[in-house]
Each structure stands twice: as structure tokens, then as C-alpha cells.
């Protein structure tokens, strides 16, 4: 899934170059790293990318060996349920009776060997019955920016990975509730990674999201005709703006979670750099041409111009070619408010 705008990573993430196409960690972009991880398991011909039509050329430029037909274009953004739905019918058409792995394109995973190991276990579980499988990240602190998955009591081992029946999905909690979740040992961060047979997710969509299923069947009827692209373009906006979590996962049966520790981070905002970068002796993340004195617990990124700081604490300072962001670190999740104000003031050139 590569259609997101990464707005909380503004001003580096922009409408024409969102977060998944940036080199946030390492020498490759996040989507390049995601595809590279998957190539340990499957051939590039079996990898599909769902994205906004704005980013089709970017994907082709960054992943040139990905077949053009494997780039699925969304004419409008409609959250993850329609994204999964369209991908499922197109994949089922090309690869009948297949297993489908759904991943965001903009996550960091440091231990790729462990990730591949867990994914193979999840694929094995998804092959049994009507199982839906998700990967839960073992929490290391009470994060309020993630949804959580509560595990049930049932447990077994598959390829040395523990497998639990999912008790429930819960929304992003406040800090006190997040502390309780972490202390209980039963809750995991929702990674947004799902594994299932295409036939199974199609059945659940038909049962739990029948209106969306009707649209998908209209699209399917146009497959291998001259009007396929036109029908998908016209029908897609009719689908609900709904997440796969709410539409399916919170309501379905036979859902399993595998707790994971493989250096995962969804890089949701600038504060993620504190988790993926090395900190200096004062707890700062420093990237680029920076002079800092008596500066503590701050995140500072330069685009080449010297940034000099003196006596500041807990700030985010990001300089790009045309925008400089200065933000209190505890407001990192609220950067979208600035983008809303830019739209109100008709300053779209900075988006």
C-alpha cells in the first residue's frame, strides 16, 4: 500500500514526494526497502503496489523491475479497505487460489531475517481454514499513536513463532490506558500487516462489506475487456472510505496474531528519528549541517544551510529548500494542523 501522503513528516514529505519515496533510514527509499524485503520470499512479478495515480511514475522510477501491470492505480483515496479489495480481485485473477500479504510501504524493519521467518509462519497459518492473520509488534513503551491488538488465551507454535487468537482490536489509547496495555502483556501494537488467502478475504468482504463487494464484482466483470481501466476508474469512488481494520478485522472470526520483535517502526512522525537514529550525548538527532550548543533532546535536520541552535530543548527543526519547520517535540503528531492552515490560506505550493 503506497498511496499515503505522510503528512506528519512535512515539510520533507510533500504531495509530489511523500514519505514512502524518501530515504528516511539507509541509502534506499522506504518503498524500495519494503520491496527488497519481500523479494526474499517471492518474485518481483508477484509483488503489487496500490497507489494514487500521482505516484505511478515515481514507483516505476524507484522500482524499475516491477511490471507496469503490477502497479494498481487508485483514482481517489478511499482508505485501506477499498485498497485491499481491488488488489484482492486483481491478484485473484492473475494468481488463483493464492495467499495475499498486505503491507504498508513506509515502515522500517531492521531485522529482515526475523521478519521473513515470521511472515512464513503467518503464511502457513493463513492456509488453514478461513484464517486471517496479523502481525502484532511487542510494545516497548506506552505509545498513544498506534492501535493495539489484544490476544486471547489460545496459543500454539508455528515455525517457532507463537500464535494467539485475537480477542479484539482497540483504537489509539490515551497514555494511562496505553500503560495498562503494555503492563498486561496481552496487547500488541497493530502493525497494519495482514496475511490471508485471496478467497478468504473476498468471502469476508462479501459478508461484512456487501456494498463494497457489489462494486468489486462490477469491476471484476470488466476484466480482460477494453473498458477495464475505465470501469475501475468510474467504480472505485463508489466504495466506502473505510479501513480494513474497521470494515473486516474488528468484526471477523478466526483472526490470529503473531507477536513480533524485528525492529519495526511505522515512522509516523518526526519523533520516530529518535528510535531509528543514533543520539548524540545530549539526546539530539542531528542530520546535516548543524552547529548546536547547549541543545538537548531535539531533532534537527538541515538541507545544506547551516542551522545553529543555542540553549533550546525538545524542539523539531527541519529545513527544506522552501520551508523551515520549528515545532515543539510534543506537538509532532499535530503537524497536520499546519497543512490544514496552509490550505485555508491558499498556500498549496508549500504542500
Amino acid at each position: 500500500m503506497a498511496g499515503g501522503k505522510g503528512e506528519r513528516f512535512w515539510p520533507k514529505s510533500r504531495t509530489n514526494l511523500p514519505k514512502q519515496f524518501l530515504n528516511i533510514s539507509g541509502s534506499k527509499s522506504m518503498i524500495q526497502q519494503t520491496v527488497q524485503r519481500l523479494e526474499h520470499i517471492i518474485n518481483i512479478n508477484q509483488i503489487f503496489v496500490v497507489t494514487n495515480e500521482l505516484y505511478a511514475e515515481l514507483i516505476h522510477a524507484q522500482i524499475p523491475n516491477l511490471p507496469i501491470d503490477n502497479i494498481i492505480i487508485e483514482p481517489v483515496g478511499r482508505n485501506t479497505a477499498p485498497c485491499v479489495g481491488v488488489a484482492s480481485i486483481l491478484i485473484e485473477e492473475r494468481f488463483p487460489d493464492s495467499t495475499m500479504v498486505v503491507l504498508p510501504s513506509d515502515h522500517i524493519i531492521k531485522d529482515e531475517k526475523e521478519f521473513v521467518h515470521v511472515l512464513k509462519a503467518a503464511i502457513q497459518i493463513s492456509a488453514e481454514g478461513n484464517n486471517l492473520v496479523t502481525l502484532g509488534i511487542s510494545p516497548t513503551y506506552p505509545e498513544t499513536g498506534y492501535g493495539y491488538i489484544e490476544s486471547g488465551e489460545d496459543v500454539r507454535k508455528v515455525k517457532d513463532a507463537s500464535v494467539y487468537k485475537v480477542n479484539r482490536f482497540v483504537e489509539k489509547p490515551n497514555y494511562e490506558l496505553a500503560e495498562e496495555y503494555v503492563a498486561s502483556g496481552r496487547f500488541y501494537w497493530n502493525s497494519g500487516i495482514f496475511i490471508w488467502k485471496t478467497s478468504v478475504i473476498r468471502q469476508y468482504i462479501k459478508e461484512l462489506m456487501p456494498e463494497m463487494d457489489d462494486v468489486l464484482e462490477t469491476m471484476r466483470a470488466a476484466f480482460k475487456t477494453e473498458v477495464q481501466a475505465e470501469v475501475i476508474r468510474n467504480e472505485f469512488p463508489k466504495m466506502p472510505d473505510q479501513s480494513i481494520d474497521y470494515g473486516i478485522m474488528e468484526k471477523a472470526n478466526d483472526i490470529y496474531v503473531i507477536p513480533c520483535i524485528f525492529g519495526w517502526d511505522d515512522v509516523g512522525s518526526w519523533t520516530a528519528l529518535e528510535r531509528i537514529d543514533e543520539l548524540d550525548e545530549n539526546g539530539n538527532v542531528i542530520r546535516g549541517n548543524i552547529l548546536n550548543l547547549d541543545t538537548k533532546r531535539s531533532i534537527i535536520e538541515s538541507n545544506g544551510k547551516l542551522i545553529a541552535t543555542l540553549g533550546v530543548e525538545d524542539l523539531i527543526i527541519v529545513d527544506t529548500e522552501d520551508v523551515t519547520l520549528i515545532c515543539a517535540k510534543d506537538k509532532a503528531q499535530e503537524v497536520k494542523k499546519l497543512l490544514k492552515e496552509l490550505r485555508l490560506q491558499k498556500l498549496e505550493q508549500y504542500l
Side-chain angles (χ1 to χ4, degrees), residues 128-179:
E128 303 171 5
N130 294 325
N131 295 344
L132 304 176
V133 186
T134 185
L135 305 188
I137 308 301
S138 297
T140 52
Y141 62 95
E143 171 64 56
T144 58
Y146 300 152
Y148 284 71
I149 302 167
E150 183 182 20
S151 61
E153 296 301 320
D154 298 335
V155 62
R156 59 183 171 129
K157 292 280 189 179
V158 175
K159 295 184 181 294
D160 296 325
S162 296
V163 183
Y164 294 84
K165 193 85 183 284
V166 169
N167 188 29
R168 61 179 174 137
F169 288 78
V170 293
E171 299 298 323
K172 298 173 183 177
N174 60 34
Y175 188 81
E176 291 74 19
L177 201 53
E179 283 187 313

Side-chain angles (χ1 to χ4, degrees), residues 159-217:
K159 295 184 181 294
D160 296 325
S162 296
V163 183
Y164 294 84
K165 193 85 183 284
V166 169
N167 188 29
R168 61 179 174 137
F169 288 78
V170 293
E171 299 298 323
K172 298 173 183 177
N174 60 34
Y175 188 81
E176 291 74 19
L177 201 53
E179 283 187 313
E180 291 180 22
Y181 289 168
V182 175
S184 75
R186 299 192 315 274
F187 286 83
Y188 304 94
W189 292 333
N190 185 351
S191 68
I193 299 172
F194 306 108
I195 304 93
W196 44 53
K197 290 184 289 190
T198 51
S199 58
V200 170
I201 194 62
R202 290 291 299 116
Q203 184 57 41
Y204 272 116
I205 290 172
K206 185 175 183 179
E207 177 186 338
L208 299 174
M209 303 185 73
E211 292 181 3
M212 189 173 88
D213 182 66
D214 290 342
V215 178
L216 291 173
E217 286 302 320

Side-chain angles (χ1 to χ4, degrees), residues 244-296:
I244 196 70
D245 301 68
Y246 180 78
I248 302 294
M249 302 302 284
E250 293 182 12
K251 303 168 185 174
N253 300 314
D254 300 320
I255 306 179
Y256 293 87
V257 60
I258 302 178
C260 307
I261 301 175
F262 41 55
W264 174 90
D265 200 296
D266 81 337
V267 199
S269 70
W270 281 105
T271 53
L273 297 189
E274 295 179 318
R275 301 188 294 268
I276 62 179
D277 274 23
E278 288 188 19
L279 306 182
D280 71 8
E281 63 274 13
N282 291 313
N284 300 307
V285 174
I286 302 298
R287 290 183 167 193
N289 191 13
I290 313 294
L291 171 65
N292 68 92
L293 295 176
D294 194 24
T295 298
K296 299 176 182 177

